[in-house]
Amino acid sequence: MNMSNLVRSGANIMMPFILVYGFYIVVHGHLTPGGGFQGGAVIATAVVLLMVAYSRADVFASIPKNVLKNSETAGLLLFIGTALLALTAGIAFFGNWLLGAGSLFGTPVAFGINPGDINTGGIIPILNIAVGIEVLGAMGILLLVMLGGMKGDAE
Amino acid sequence: MKSALRIGILVVCAAAFLMAGLDLSFGTPAYTDMDDYMLAHGQEETGSNNIVTGVVFDYRGFDTLGEATVLFTVVLGAGLVFRRLGKKEDEYEYE
């Protein structure tokens, strides 16, 4: 059953801010408090907001069927793949093969207290993004599965 | 009589837990070698300003890989437990 127009309008307004905040926490995981797990959970709360405001059929219709499942798998594969690529650089599994290389996320970090540069950290931002993708998929699937297990309401 | 017994048991148990809790001292860990090393070298070795993220994704990457795998398994288990038996054609499925 849909909630009132007021609740739905509020959810529509809040939704982009929640998503942007979640992605900010994921991408800035190596600079500010937060990271993949926390940011993914924040993004998953957008799914909860959808559930609060809209009916079950609308929630299921607005989220494509396999996107959460695929994002969970892709996140885990990206995580393991990034860790495995360290072997090709001649260092151990999970070695930071992008650190200081000058390419993506490879700017040498300024030691000591500094305002922070998002282009540092080596593979840590990539692992953060991978975990964020995985956590948002996993949390979304959990919530949707539990919503799907509820008894249907008259619509 | 019965409620007095309940309250007595509650007081005794709470006192036991509080006694154990009051003995703790926070902020003065016994061994700080690892903390000092990570605070001194973490930024240099991981390239991450956030030392917590540096520890979680670099020093303890295997732990994080395990966490991600646990989350994956949790979703598999939840999809198994919450699957709909005898579902109709038009119903949404997530498994």
Side-chain angles (χ1 to χ4, degrees):
Chain A
M1 205 175 87
N2 276 325
M3 290 291 281
S4 71
N5 202 0
L6 201 63
V7 177
R8 278 181 283 141
S9 303
N12 287 344
I13 293 172
M14 288 303 294
M15 181 70 68
F17 292 106
I18 292 176
L19 291 178
V20 167
Y21 184 57
F23 282 114
Y24 161 78
I25 289 184
V26 170
V27 172
H28 286 242
H30 57 301
L31 299 178
T32 56
F37 286 99
Q38 295 88 341
V42 169
I43 297 171
T45 57
V47 179
V48 181
L49 188 66
L50 268 184
M51 286 180 184
V52 168
Y54 287 92
S55 67
R56 200 170 73 172
D58 284 350
V59 172
F60 285 155
S62 66
I63 300 176
K65 199 166 177 178
N66 282 328
V67 65
L68 290 177
K69 218 190 305 184
N70 290 342
S71 73
E72 191 199 2
T73 315
L76 198 54
L77 284 179
L78 179 61
F79 191 86
I80 299 176
T82 311
L84 269 180
L85 273 180
L87 295 179
T88 65
I91 43 180
F93 190 57
F94 269 109
N96 204 334
W97 51 279
L98 273 175
L99 181 63
S103 54
L104 182 69
F105 297 125
T107 308
V109 68
F111 298 136
I113 298 171
N114 59 336
D117 179 4
I118 197 167
N119 205 22
T120 58
I123 64 169
I124 289 179
I126 300 177
L127 296 181
N128 256 323
I129 292 167
V131 167
I133 292 171
E134 199 223 328
V135 169
L136 83 90
M139 298 284 224
I141 288 178
L142 273 182
L143 295 163
L144 285 181
V145 155
M146 290 183 180
L147 184 70
M150 286 197 320
K151 244 174 132 55
D153 45 7
E155 285 161 10
Chain B
M1 177 58 201
K2 230 175 172 181
S3 67
L5 187 64
R6 274 186 207 144
I7 292 174
I9 291 175
L10 180 68
V11 167
V12 168
C13 289
F17 280 112
L18 280 178
M19 290 270 280
L22 286 176
D23 278 347
L24 292 177
S25 64
F26 294 102
T28 53
Y31 302 102
T32 61
D33 299 349
M34 191 67 85
D35 317 352
D36 293 338
Y37 178 83
M38 281 172 181
L39 285 178
H41 300 99
Q43 195 183 22
E44 183 182 344
E45 287 182 352
T46 67
S48 158
N49 273 355
N50 187 353
I51 298 294
V52 176
T53 305
V55 170
V56 166
F57 283 96
D58 197 297
Y59 290 118
R60 299 191 180 157
F62 273 109
D63 183 55
T64 309
L65 178 62
E67 279 180 50
T69 317
V70 163
L71 199 61
F72 193 80
T73 317
V74 161
V75 170
L76 282 182
L80 185 71
V81 169
F82 282 91
R83 73 190 189 281
R84 294 175 72 88
L85 298 174
K87 60 171 166 280
K88 298 184 214 89
E89 275 303 308
D90 56 341
E91 271 177 1
Y92 195 86
E93 60 176 35
Y94 237 100
E95 50 192 47

